[in-house]
């Protein structure tokens, strides 16, 4: 199979994976329901990287500043982030995840992890490890090509 055919098959599987994730979004999570996908992603990034400004979000994701202005406004309104001075002394205000944001993110992540764990529970450990390694390799290659990386724990960590 050539790279083009493999790309078509991977695209289809990623589409299905995304759809399955969307249809399994937790309902009835405390604090007003489940986080939408953009909130989940932004809060996850803030948790991994620390405080970020709108230009930081633009650099990290490659979307227009207006996208992040709208998304951070909703997160501010819901008390999931707060504005803070740049801890490095810069003039731009940064967004920092609040305790409520951390709690909601952890709660929703737990639901997702439980769902994934249920799907792979019968897989042998070697298959799970291979799947994780392949996903990580795919993601790091996408990051290399796009020039946008996602912060991860140190090697050997989770």
């Amino acid at each position: 199979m050539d790279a083009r055919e493999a790309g078509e098959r991977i695209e289809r599987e990623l589409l299905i994976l995304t759809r399955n994730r969307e249809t399994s979004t937790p309902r009835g999570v405390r604090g007003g329901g489940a986080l939408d996908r953009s909130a989940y992603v932004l809060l996850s990034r803030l948790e991994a990287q620390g405080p970020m400004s709108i230009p930081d979000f633009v650099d990290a994701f490659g979307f227009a500043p207006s996208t992040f202005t709208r998304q951070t406004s909703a997160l501010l309104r819901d008390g999931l982030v707060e504005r803070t001075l740049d801890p490095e002394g810069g003039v731009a205000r940064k967004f920092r995840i609040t305790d409520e944001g951390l709690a909601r993110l952890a709660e929703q992540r737990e639901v997702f992890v439980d769902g994934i764990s249920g799907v792979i529970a019968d897989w042998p450990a070697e298959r799970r490890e291979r799947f994780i390694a392949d996903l990580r390799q795919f993601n790091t290659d996408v990051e290399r090509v796009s020039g946008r990386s996602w912060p991860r724990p140190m090697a050997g960590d989770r």
Side-chain angles (χ1 to χ4, degrees):
M1 157 181 2
D2 67 9
R4 177 69 187 186
E5 181 182 350
E8 290 170 354
R9 292 170 81 178
I10 291 168
E11 182 276 334
R12 185 177 317 109
E13 294 304 324
L14 289 173
L15 169 75
I16 294 167
L17 177 66
T18 302
R19 186 216 176 263
N20 287 338
R21 171 96 188 270
E22 293 302 314
T23 60
S24 65
T25 299
R27 306 273 190 268
V29 179
R30 76 177 180 83
L35 299 169
D36 68 31
R37 183 173 36 165
S38 64
Y40 187 84
V41 171
L42 290 183
L43 291 175
S44 293
R45 184 64 183 241
L46 288 170
E47 178 190 43
Q49 184 169 332
M52 296 176 72
S53 64
I54 296 293
D56 293 335
F57 284 124
V58 170
D59 288 344
F61 293 98
F63 299 121
S66 60
T67 300
F68 298 106
T69 300
R70 187 173 49 258
Q71 291 174 345
T72 55
S73 293
L75 293 173
L76 279 165
R77 183 186 63 244
D78 294 341
L80 303 177
V81 299
E82 61 189 2
R83 281 193 184 100
T84 184
L85 295 174
D86 184 346
E88 298 169 6
V91 296
R93 294 289 224 156
K94 296 210 173 194
F95 295 91
R96 177 176 55 203
I97 192 169
T98 63
D99 289 342
E100 176 66 15
L102 284 169
R104 294 265 309 274
L105 180 63
E107 184 177 14
Q108 187 158 333
R109 182 176 290 136
E110 188 64 27
V111 172
F112 287 142
V113 169
D114 284 349
I116 293 166
S117 299
V119 170
I120 64 171
D122 294 335
W123 292 13
E126 301 80 32
R127 183 175 180 198
R128 289 191 295 258
E129 290 167 13
R130 186 176 66 244
F131 186 65
I132 293 165
D134 288 345
L135 279 175
R136 185 176 190 128
Q137 183 66 57
F138 180 80
N139 283 327
T140 56
D141 286 347
V142 168
E143 293 166 4
R144 178 183 45 79
V145 169
S146 72
R148 292 187 173 89
S149 64
W150 189 276
R152 289 182 175 82
M154 301 299 270
D157 292 347
R158 297 179 348 148

